[in-house]
Amino acid sequence: MEFFIAFRPWISVIMLVTFIGLFIWIWGIKKGKDFDEAANLPFAEDEQEPKDGVEPSHDRENKR
């Protein structure tokens, strides 16, 4: 128990430095473009062609 009491201030300092480091990494200028690109990935169109040359049918009526 005395171990945690002795290192409590150091643990707080390590946590603060980690938080500040993450904040700088996330809001950094170099990473901004990467995060913007990743944010738009769900809206990107698929540019790959089907492997068998046949496009998949999304009609449920054709499958009945």
Side-chain angles (χ1 to χ4, degrees), residues 14-27:
I14 290 170
M15 291 176 64
L16 179 64
V17 169
T18 303
F19 176 78
I20 291 172
L22 284 172
F23 188 82
I24 290 171
W25 177 68
I26 290 172
W27 292 103

Side-chain angles (χ1 to χ4, degrees), residues 29-53:
I29 295 171
K30 294 179 183 178
K31 290 287 183 182
K33 292 179 183 178
D34 294 338
F35 286 126
D36 289 340
E37 184 178 324
N40 288 323
L41 278 177
F43 304 112
E45 293 184 17
D46 293 332
E47 296 179 6
Q48 298 176 354
E49 294 183 18
K51 292 181 182 178
D52 58 359

